Amino acid sequence: MSRLLNYLRRIDPGFAVVLLLSLVAIWPLVARASLPQETDAELHIFRLMELSYLVRSGEFYPRWAPDFYHGYGYPIFNYYAPLTYYIGLVIDLMPKLGPVAGIKFVLILGFLLGALGLYGLVRDNWGRVGGYVAAAVFLYAPYIQYVDPHVRGAVPESFSFGVFPLALWCMDRFWRQQTGWRWVTAVFTVAAVILTHNLMALLFFGLLAAWAAWRVAELWLAEGKTAALHKARGLGGILLLGLGLAAFFWLPVILERNAVTLNTLIGNNDNYDFRTHFLSLRELLAFSSRIDWGATEPVFRFNLGVAQWLLGGVGLVMLLRRRMTQARHLLFFAIAFVALVFMQLPQSKFLWEATPILPFFQFPWRLLGGTVIMLAVLAGAGTAVWLQRTPRFANWMTVATIALPLLLALPLSQPAPWPDFGEVNRLRLTLIELRGRWLGTTSTSDYVPATVDAVPRREAAVVEGFFENQPLDRVNRPTLPEGVIVETENITPLHIRYSINAPERFRLRLFIFDFPGWHVTVDGEPAETELGLPEGFIVVKVPAGEHVVEVRFGSTPARTAAWVGTAVSLFITLLVAWQLRRRAATTFAAPWTRLDQWAVGTVGLVTAVTLFILQPSHILHDNSTDWTVEPAQIDTLVDFGGQIALIGIDRSQEEVRPGDTITVNVYWKAQQLLEINYQSFLHVLKADGSLLTQSDHLNPGDYPTRRWPLDRYVRDEFVLTIPKDALPGSYPVTAGLWVQAEGWRLPVLDASGNQIDDKATLFTLTVVDE
């Protein structure tokens, strides 16, 4: 009984408060069925489906996805961090659940782990109320709450924002007291950071290593070399063994990096070029905009959040004024925060260009997640010390600092409703690939074997198995010589046996991309193979007579060495844990105080009002219907050929100077299901009808018109630069739709259906002298 009581005394009730605090953030995922389509979450759902199919077939750690790329397969699982898929797999394997539920669980778990990790870290260093504030700042930062999980559907990246604070907290716990359990949790969470997301692993492992070095240096200055080196051995061991545990993943990625195409991950003046995605301080400081349920893609901002800036600023001010406890510790987070903000600004372009790995991040705003975590620590620590120094106002300040992130996040708390995701199976996978939305759950041909000179066309004979729910026949039968008989037996999806009877020697051509790990035998002996170009398919030389050819995907020296590294690291981790087993943690939960009661009351009240009053009343979002756009500055209705209507306009200004830039938003809405992909244009015309400047979009709003729904509008943003030699005067701004391949425009119709023009005049732009 005494042991049980001691155990219960160690449980901090503050964790329950953090779970309650998380409820508004996770509510859209908990309360709504399914997940939205056409975000990156769709890709992860199908990857989980493929993993589940392989695991159920006996392939427990597959590195090859055989059903992707029209059934030719490719090694996505050899190169993409696996942890989120295996967590989702646990849910997928449960009765009546599936990959959609598995991916949704990963998103929810990421929210909770990040909030709990930040709470624990800040609580242990600066107090419980500071931990509440840190969790609130994290959960309700726009990028964490809405942009990454809902707009982008970037599931592994979102989950990495949860794992990193947890790993940081676990390392800090071991720093404080070296026990076996704390050692194990620290090592395994560091490994989890590496196994969650390729790019975020580089950032977050680097931050963990920098934090460890900072803490050791801090101790060296305070207590001397001996104490610092003792701690350094512990933290260094955690980092190295965490890296070693994850070696089964990252070592083959490095050693086999030249076996696949990776250069497509780096853009060049396109959407994947980092130069086109820097942010300004104004954007980082901006308020979040309201979500419009009537938009196909609601407007959002890459901002840090006003509450996050204000509360994080408290920590920075307290640090600068030397009012902080553990000031040196907090200084690390301040420096990391400033560095991450700088790396998102255009002024950091020279660093992105000079550092070879940085262009692979593609989007500087991807650093928003790490920036928020640093800001959350600053906010929690600063608030905690502020409350200690102003006890007279502590109750109301607790309410304000916890409620502020929640209240300012309410416009993002109701993402637009999504329809049911639909069936997730191999047939739907191949139909999506047929439509060309993506191939192999990637959109830039990344991770395709480097030996593929040209991605081959789709073969009806191969994909037929998808339609019949049968194993695929990957034998190129039209190339078989006369008289050759090939019978196929699928042992597993990655192990195929061919029984062959051939009157003469021939080449067995398979619709399988060649890649390191494919092992081919003829009658149990290594076979002579060659590469079928330009497709990069496996070709097997088969002698005359009766033979058994086996094609199986297996290991390589790099993968074997990686597994050995993981096994050795696991052994050392458990050995050290055994040696530390007698060291038990002696910490107990801090007493429950009046400030905790105020915190619970604040969180409970805001959560209840939000979920049961504000959200059901639909006052937190816009809901444009019919031919009205609620966020538009100007309402209009222009009929383009009875197919598309122009229903609204925004413009950043009506008066400009030569060299200025103007932004114009045009709102379109389909009047019927469209069979043509139209292009859009925005022209600024001179008095004689010639062009002053223009902007054209291949897909209006980056959304092909053939996919436009009938119940939502499309926002088409144009950015125009006025020529420096533009003369003062008035210039009409016009917009329209056309078919670029054929050179014709959709006509503008009047109420009687008669053509009156082939463009719509939106407004008049005035150019004034400089």
Side-chain angles (χ1 to χ4, degrees), residues 672-688:
Q672 59 179 282
L673 294 178
L674 303 171
E675 298 180 354
I676 297 175
N677 277 333
Y678 292 101
Q679 287 69 59
S680 61
F681 66 83
L682 190 77
H683 292 168
V684 180
L685 302 179
K686 299 178 182 178
D688 60 1

Side-chain angles (χ1 to χ4, degrees), residues 683-701:
H683 292 168
V684 180
L685 302 179
K686 299 178 182 178
D688 60 1
S690 61
L691 285 171
L692 175 70
T693 186
Q694 70 181 101
S695 178
D696 293 81
H697 291 164
L698 182 63
N699 293 308

Side-chain angles (χ1 to χ4, degrees), residues 12-22 108-124 131-132 134-136 138-139 161-170 173:
D12 180 5
F15 288 118
V17 179
V18 174
L19 293 178
L20 178 62
L21 180 63
S22 306
I108 293 171
L109 185 62
F111 276 109
L112 300 180
L113 292 181
L116 293 172
L118 275 166
Y119 167 76
L121 175 68
V122 174
R123 177 205 63 181
D124 290 351
Y132 299 148
F138 168 79
L139 284 166
F161 300 145
V163 173
F164 169 62
L166 187 66
L168 190 59
W169 178 39
C170 288
R173 281 167 57 82

Side-chain angles (χ1 to χ4, degrees), residues 170-186 216 219 226-238 576-587:
C170 288
M171 289 184 66
D172 185 70
R173 281 167 57 82
F174 184 79
W175 170 271
R176 294 171 173 279
Q177 192 170 6
Q178 298 182 355
T179 68
W181 173 247
R182 294 185 176 190
W183 165 265
V184 169
T185 55
V216 169
L219 186 63
T226 303
L229 291 179
H230 175 70
K231 292 285 190 178
R233 284 193 291 271
L235 294 184
I238 288 170
V576 173
W578 175 260
Q579 294 174 343
L580 296 174
R581 70 190 186 280
R582 297 187 183 279
R583 300 185 185 181
T586 57
T587 56

Side-chain angles (χ1 to χ4, degrees), residues 326-582:
Q326 296 200 57
R328 288 179 177 174
H329 188 186
L330 190 64
L331 182 59
F332 170 81
F333 297 97
I335 293 173
F337 166 71
V338 172
L340 288 171
V341 168
F342 175 74
M343 292 302 294
Q344 296 168 71
L345 301 176
Q347 290 78 6
S348 68
K349 178 182 174 182
F350 73 97
L351 285 176
W352 286 80
E353 292 177 336
T355 309
I357 195 64
L358 284 179
F360 285 97
F361 278 76
Q362 300 170 330
F363 315 116
W365 43 254
R366 241 181 182 152
L367 303 180
L368 278 169
T371 309
V372 165
I373 293 169
M374 300 300 113
L375 202 54
V377 176
L378 287 167
T383 300
V385 174
W386 189 20
L387 292 176
Q388 293 169 7
R389 292 180 174 274
T390 55
R392 181 179 175 184
F393 305 103
N395 292 344
W396 291 109
M397 287 171 59
T398 298
V399 171
T401 53
I402 294 175
L404 186 64
L406 253 168
L407 294 175
L408 293 187
L410 291 182
L412 300 180
S413 66
Q414 278 189 290
W418 52 75
D420 183 71
F421 188 85
E423 293 185 355
V424 182
N425 51 41
R426 297 161 68 224
L427 174 59
R428 185 176 175 195
L429 163 70
T430 195
L431 291 175
I432 292 175
E433 291 192 333
L434 174 62
R435 290 193 292 269
R437 198 158 78 233
W438 40 258
L439 269 176
T441 67
T442 53
S443 56
T444 57
S445 299
D446 35 313
Y447 306 120
V448 173
T451 50
V452 178
D453 294 333
V455 176
R457 61 183 175 83
R458 183 181 178 90
E459 290 287 340
V462 176
V463 300
E464 183 180 355
F466 290 129
F467 292 86
E468 298 178 355
N469 196 25
Q470 296 294 324
L472 306 187
D473 182 5
R474 295 183 172 90
V475 177
N476 190 340
R477 296 191 180 275
T479 65
L480 293 177
E482 186 177 354
V484 172
I485 299 174
V486 179
E487 296 180 354
T488 304
E489 180 185 0
N490 289 273
I491 310 301
T492 74
L494 301 182
H495 183 188
I496 311 167
R497 179 178 297 149
Y498 300 102
S499 298
I500 297 175
N501 190 337
E504 58 183 357
R505 177 184 175 88
F506 78 104
R507 286 176 170 81
L508 175 64
R509 299 180 182 275
L510 301 175
F511 289 120
I512 301 174
F513 288 142
D514 197 8
F515 184 74
W518 279 116
H519 302 286
V520 184
T521 62
V522 176
D523 300 329
E525 298 296 326
E528 184 180 357
T529 63
E530 61 186 30
L531 187 65
L533 295 174
E535 301 91 348
F537 288 141
I538 296 173
V539 178
V540 187
K541 294 182 178 179
V542 183
E546 294 185 1
H547 302 282
V548 174
V549 176
E550 297 205 30
V551 181
R552 183 170 190 172
F553 193 84
S555 189
T556 63
R559 295 167 206 166
T560 300
W563 280 114
V564 170
T566 293
V568 171
S569 299
L570 178 61
F571 175 77
I572 296 173
T573 299
L574 297 179
L575 180 63
V576 173
W578 175 260
Q579 294 174 343
L580 296 174
R581 70 190 186 280
R582 297 187 183 279

Side-chain angles (χ1 to χ4, degrees), residues 293-296 623-629 636-640 642-648 666-674 700 705 708-716 737 746:
W293 283 15
T296 51
N623 191 20
S624 299
T625 58
D626 298 326
W627 309 108
T628 301
V629 180
T636 186
L637 183 60
V638 181
D639 182 356
F640 281 85
Q643 298 190 53
I644 296 174
L646 191 161
I647 60 174
V666 178
Y667 297 91
W668 310 101
K669 191 169 186 179
Q671 301 182 64
Q672 59 179 282
L673 294 178
L674 303 171
T705 58
W708 285 10
L710 297 179
D711 60 340
R712 297 186 182 187
Y713 66 79
V714 174
R715 176 178 173 269
D716 197 9
L737 297 153
L746 267 178

Side-chain angles (χ1 to χ4, degrees), residues 8 16 54 56 141 155 197 247 277 299 309 395 431 470 503 513 523 626 644 745-746 750:
L8 293 175
L54 292 165
R56 292 169 193 264
V155 180
H197 187 270
H277 294 286
V299 177
W309 276 106
N395 292 344
L431 291 175
Q470 296 294 324
F513 288 142
D523 300 329
D626 298 326
I644 296 174
R745 295 182 178 182
L746 267 178
D750 62 16

Side-chain angles (χ1 to χ4, degrees), residues 215-297:
R215 292 293 272 161
V216 169
E218 183 184 344
L219 186 63
W220 191 313
L221 293 174
E223 299 183 21
K225 176 181 177 180
T226 303
L229 291 179
H230 175 70
K231 292 285 190 178
R233 284 193 291 271
L235 294 184
I238 288 170
L239 292 169
L240 288 176
L241 289 172
L243 193 65
L245 281 179
F248 70 90
F249 160 65
W250 62 262
L251 189 58
V253 171
I254 293 175
L255 297 180
E256 296 176 349
R257 65 188 182 279
N258 294 326
V260 292
T261 300
L262 294 177
N263 60 332
T264 55
L265 292 170
I266 301 178
N268 184 17
N269 294 320
D270 58 18
N271 185 54
Y272 298 100
D273 187 346
F274 67 86
R275 297 172 186 84
T276 63
H277 294 286
F278 285 112
L279 303 175
S280 65
L281 272 176
R282 182 177 181 178
E283 289 175 291
L284 290 170
L285 289 163
F287 281 92
S288 297
S289 55
R290 286 166 61 89
I291 298 170
D292 188 354
W293 283 15
T296 51
E297 296 179 350

